[in-house]
Amino acid sequence: MGTFNLGPFAFPVSLLLLFVAMLLSLAVAKWAGRARAVDVEPQIWKLLMVGVLGARAAFIAAYFDIYKSAPLSILDIRDGGFIAPAGILAAFATTTWFAMRKREGRKPLILSVLAGVSVWVLGVVATLLFYHGPAEMPQIALTRLDGS
């Protein structure tokens, strides 16, 4: 998907989208929860954790043969090993469970999740529309030091 460079730092666009979606979701949770005197922010953080762990667990299950020989490498997330649809499914299932458990927090929870998901989906679509892949290296003819 690409990266966003800020000085010497390079941030994956997907991580920045998740960060912005989470911030918006927390803001909507605070705003919507204030009207009903309900705090759903802890549930939003739990949803993030369930989604990330679900995405990682699905990746590990898909490539278990590789992780079987070195089980501690499961903890090494630098391989980018997350399956997003599995994480989204886990987060939505947990959202449903939270919404069914506490009736008073249902509306703020659903509004905040929808706001975060909407921003994330719009960001992913915009990124896919404007990202044209890595730049190709131009074809050049090289000569050796001896002139050949």
Side-chain angles (χ1 to χ4, degrees):
M1 249 203 208
T3 58
F4 176 75
N5 297 322
L6 184 64
F9 303 107
F11 299 102
V13 172
S14 59
L15 185 62
L16 289 175
L17 285 174
L18 183 63
F19 179 71
V20 169
M22 188 66 186
L23 284 178
L24 180 70
S25 183
L26 288 170
V28 170
K30 188 169 240 14
W31 172 76
R34 186 177 300 146
R36 293 180 180 247
V38 176
D39 185 19
V40 294
E41 287 182 50
Q43 292 174 337
I44 300 297
W45 286 109
K46 289 174 188 173
L47 289 174
L48 176 68
M49 293 303 297
V50 165
V52 169
L53 291 175
R56 181 66 178 170
F59 184 83
I60 291 167
Y63 297 101
F64 186 70
D65 294 338
I66 297 170
Y67 291 108
K68 187 171 33 176
S69 61
L72 286 179
S73 64
I74 290 172
L75 301 175
D76 186 11
I77 61 169
R78 293 176 295 169
D79 59 2
F82 298 96
I83 296 178
I88 292 168
L89 184 63
F92 275 126
T94 308
T95 300
T96 305
W97 184 62
F98 283 158
M100 289 172 40
R101 280 184 52 214
K102 293 188 178 181
R103 183 173 178 82
E104 65 274 357
R106 186 177 300 165
K107 186 176 180 181
L109 178 68
I110 291 173
L111 283 175
S112 61
V113 168
L114 285 177
V117 168
S118 299
V119 166
W120 184 74
V121 166
L122 288 173
V124 167
V125 169
T127 303
L128 291 175
L129 287 175
F130 295 115
Y131 180 65
H132 301 294
E136 293 186 24
M137 296 296 291
Q139 295 293 327
I140 58 171
L142 300 175
T143 57
R144 295 180 186 216
L145 291 177
D146 62 2
S148 60

